[in-house]
Amino acid sequence: MDQAHIRNFSIIAHIDHGKSTLADRILQLTDTVAERDMKEQLLDSMELERERGITIKAQAVRVLWKGHQLNLIDTPGHVDFTYEVSRSLQACEGALLVVDAAQGIEAQTLANAYLAIENDLEITPVVNKIDLPQADPDGASSEIADLVGVDAGDVLRISAKTGEGVEAVLDAIVERIPPPRGDPEAAARALVFDSSYDQYRGVVAFVRVVDGRFESRDPLRAMAQGTRFEAEELGFLSPERRPVKMLEAGEVGYVITGLKDVSKLRVGDTLTCERRPAAAPLPGYKDVKPMVFAGLFPTDSDDYPELRDALERLKLNDAALFYEPETSQALGFGFRCGFLGLLHMEIIRERLEREFDLDLLVTAPNVAYRVQERPGGEWLEVHNPADMPRELEAVEEPYIRASVIVPKEYVGAVMELCNERRGRFDQLEYLSEERVHLTYELPLGEIVHDFYDQLKSRTRGYASFDYDLSGFREGTLVRVDVLVAGEPVDALSLIIHREFAYDRGKLLVERLRKEIPRQFFDVPIQAAIGARVIARETVKAKRKDVLAKCYGGDISRKRKLLEKQKKGKKRMKQVGGVDVPQEAFLAVLNLESDR
Amino acid sequence: MTLPLELDRNDVDTDWLRTRHGSSHSVPEGGLAPPLRGAEPEHSLARHLYVHLPFCAHRCGYCDFVTVRGGGGQDGAYVDGLLTELALESQFLAREPETIFLGGGTPTFTEPAVLARLLQAMPATHELTVEANPETVTPALANLLREHGVNRISLGAQSFQPHLLEVLERRATPASVRLAYRTLRDAGFDNVSLDLIYGIPGQSSADLAADLAEALELGPEHLSCYELEAKVGTRFTHAYGDELARQGEAMEGYFELVVETLVGGGYRWYETANFCRTGDKRDLRARHNLGYWRGRDYLGVGVGAVSTVGERRWRNAPSLRGYLGALAQATRPARELEILDNDVKARERVLLGLRLDEPLATAGLGAALDGAAVARMERLGFLQSSTTTGELALTVRGRFLGGGVTAEILT
């Protein structure tokens, strides 16, 4: 289609501000989906997405409106997927910025709006849920107008739920958002903004054609990664796949690649045609690296192969997921997994448990560290506290720029929390008379433990939070080991700021003492930094362990009791000659994540 | 003495007891009595007989035995049932068993005439023990028992502290315990055992020391000292479970106190929970119970009673009505049967044998023992093994941890 009749856009909105409902309404109004086929929130196809009200994987749907081809590119709704969001936005010329009339702007909206502005997108502000009794369309309109620098009168007011004002939104997309301006005659270039894995057809790439054209059966190449494949099928979603012969400059669609591994075709890469390759790829490709790590172990060691298969399958669809085998003396065989962030970790964990029916033990999450063992030495990346050298020259940890939007009465509480977590105040700005936008520099390692829940509870749920990584910085970090009978429990090692080491070490050994059953001998439980013990508890030896009486009528029962005791012992893990029930590790790991 | 109801052995088939291996199964009430396929070989005859009398005046809160409150005039019918069962199973019992033990319940709560009838029907034996509750012991009862060949009494004293007897819901008072003991002595019993319980909610170590001192002063031939077991589902656990859990650690030293005091008072700690007086020409260990601990076969009759003969162990169902109904028809009561394979037998030998202060011969038990664990327990000083004799024994320290050590060394 002629580029003048194409509009590519995204919807930017905070969770629950109505993005999916608006998308559904657009599909209905444009007759893309018949009324009877309409499911609530059609775009969020994964069960988990639907339940959490978030979009994990972006998809693109083509609709027709008054002679125009509109491509709605859905964006993932969370901080962990900032890079994917930025690629989706790069595929567009404009965005609808949707704000709940009752809630106003949230941190996440702000972050994505800034991303859209950075990508030179034409932003169309929309206030949604005007039908709600508690709606304040004027207040929300003025906040959003201030943010994007338009007149409050230009803010569209709609109810995606009732459909009120949605036609005007479609008209505004055509009128306000500029058409694509690629070169249809140039060498073909398309931006990969998402991909998914089809078990029958391999990797399916979602692309925005920037220049030139792609035809089915073309030999293609991903320019950054160098992966070569044939375009087995081209098409667009409406919302199911509709194959076409050709995708042209300005259009959005999919390419079936036949590739068997999603990591061969990363989001942000540029596709070109081998017959007439483009000279340079599109800008902005990044190799996204996991920042949060945790050990995943099957509760039942027999499930290890199932866990491996499940991770393999998830990886097919999620290039950002990283995993490698890990053997823990305490927890057995498992995997050290890397995630983009905490939500990403939660999603993977839930999918493993729900879709693959696995019972998992998850170690306390940690971030990626950079360590230098001697002055002038090489910097190494460490993903596991147990791999951290006990003696080292310097260690760096990742920092984030955190953005919190909160009603003004909670500013004190938020600042207190950020200060407790080694935060450095950056900026405070009033969005309106009532609402404040705070920015802080914080170590990511302080966020991975319970920061978000604390923030929610200390602000009665009013705070919204977002962050982006701001780089590595040196920190006064130490490795704390937990020793049972003198032997370190690998799964319980942690890296922590020196200042917090004593308190946490004390808490850990106290908890572990309560969880370890008494043995035939005294069992010391210690927390140590290197050779220096910082906390100690003792599990006192048993003085008595007999079956009180045993006569003719008791023998079977007593024997079964002993057999049960024996069986229970076999399930325990041996550390330093001590039998430790797995629940003990679990309790301590929970303590870690509840901190 | 001869059995009153001597049935022709040819009437009874024992094959049904071996028909199924694996886990327990119940035989319907009324039992089975298909024709015989041959007499039992001599070696599988039990030499120990247990007779269960379930009636009690009152069910103590901590008790989980098969008991029936009150006799309600059923004593006579019940004893008829016992004797019928004994006759049905006579092919499993030696003609002259070594020991007979009447337990309960409260055997001495039985109507005297009925009790006399039961005792009269018992085969001749070396040791005939009857369990007695202090409040039931009268000179008349003591004489009745003496006259009918009872030569050992196990007296359920439990404690000499009024407040603890109350917690245990015992009907006896400290005075009635002492009186019962003297009554038995006066009647000429020269082998009396006292039962004591420790670890009672609210029991201080001074209370326990007082009980032990009192017991030593009476000087019975034998003492059984049990830690109170708060068994799941008993009224007692419901009422005191939390308190017991709180006291748990404080009471840990009680077992040591019991052993030290009694051994110091001239008793032999011959089994985990049992002590006998030394310095007597007689061996005062409970010969009947030694049978259990040495892994001997035994026949148990009565409601809920357990028998172990050869590779079979069966437990009568706990329903009194069912028991009486079946035996009124001269058929076996409903039972649970357990097949004891060699492996289970070996494990039981270890479990039981290590309760005693005599070494356990390990010949034939190799598969049940984890050699590495045995070595580990030896290193910890809990166990001693002799490579020359192949015997295994717990050390004194090991005996305090006997249950745990046993669990450790069994495969």
Side-chain angles (χ1 to χ4, degrees), chain A residues 392-526:
Chain A
L392 47 81
E393 175 62 22
V395 53
E396 292 185 343
E397 58 179 330
Y399 270 70
I400 57 159
R401 203 166 26 246
S403 171
V404 180
I405 293 180
V406 74
K408 65 181 179 196
E409 61 264 39
Y410 297 111
V411 166
V414 173
M415 293 179 93
E416 195 184 326
L417 174 64
C418 290
N419 290 337
E420 284 168 19
R421 302 297 176 99
R422 297 193 281 137
R424 208 195 62 200
F425 173 75
D426 184 23
Q427 202 181 317
L428 183 153
E429 142 187 47
Y430 274 84
L431 293 177
S432 67
E433 233 169 75
E434 289 307 309
R435 303 207 316 145
V436 173
H437 178 206
L438 273 165
T439 45
Y440 262 85
E441 292 274 337
L442 281 157
L444 179 62
E446 295 291 335
I447 302 297
V448 299
H449 291 291
D450 186 40
F451 179 84
Y452 193 64
D453 288 343
Q454 279 294 323
L455 182 68
K456 282 287 177 197
S457 82
R458 295 191 194 186
T459 61
R460 294 167 182 264
Y462 280 111
S464 66
F465 168 69
D466 202 347
Y467 68 82
D468 55 11
L469 285 164
S470 59
F472 280 81
R473 253 193 254 160
E474 187 157 352
T476 320
L477 299 171
V478 290
R479 166 178 170 171
V480 175
D481 290 314
V482 175
L483 296 88
V484 171
E487 197 173 308
V489 183
D490 49 11
L492 300 183
S493 293
L494 56 108
I495 293 166
I496 189 170
H497 193 263
R498 186 175 284 281
E499 205 180 298
F500 303 146
Y502 175 76
D503 285 345
R504 187 95 76 87
K506 194 161 171 292
L507 204 66
L508 280 173
V509 296
E510 275 171 10
R511 183 59 182 265
L512 200 55
R513 177 183 61 80
K514 289 188 196 138
E515 297 292 335
I516 294 183
R518 296 171 65 194
Q519 315 271 324
F520 289 128
F521 42 84
D522 281 357
V523 177
I525 298 173
Q526 298 157 304

Side-chain angles (χ1 to χ4, degrees), chain A residues 197-266:
Chain A
Y197 186 80
D198 177 316
Q199 59 169 323
Y200 303 107
R201 312 199 63 181
V203 175
V204 181
F206 293 91
V207 298
R208 154 71 193 274
V209 181
V210 175
D211 297 320
R213 61 160 72 166
F214 290 84
E215 288 181 41
S216 64
R217 297 291 157 198
D218 273 353
L220 303 185
R221 173 158 59 92
M223 298 180 77
Q225 284 190 286
T227 307
R228 286 160 212 272
F229 57 92
E230 186 185 270
E232 289 183 6
E233 180 183 305
L234 300 174
F236 61 89
L237 298 182
S238 182
E240 55 288 315
R241 282 186 206 150
R242 300 273 174 85
V244 294
K245 287 218 159 50
M246 179 165 73
L247 286 174
E248 295 179 282
E251 287 189 315
V252 169
Y254 67 84
V255 183
I256 290 179
T257 66
L259 293 169
K260 293 298 170 212
D261 181 354
V262 82
S263 65
K264 294 275 191 298
L265 195 59
R266 306 290 290 258

Side-chain angles (χ1 to χ4, degrees), chain A residues 49 63 98 232 237 264 345 471 502 567 589:
Chain A
E49 290 185 345
V63 303
V98 178
E232 289 183 6
L237 298 182
K264 294 275 191 298
M345 178 171 103
Y502 175 76
K567 226 169 160 183
L589 292 174

Side-chain angles (χ1 to χ4, degrees), chain B residues 303-316:
Chain B
V303 61
V306 177
S307 305
T308 303
V309 180
E311 62 171 3
R312 289 150 294 172
R313 176 172 297 152
W314 64 92
R315 176 187 294 270
N316 288 342

Side-chain angles (χ1 to χ4, degrees), chain B residues 105-116:
Chain B
T106 313
T108 50
F109 181 65
T110 313
E111 187 65 34
V114 176
L115 183 59

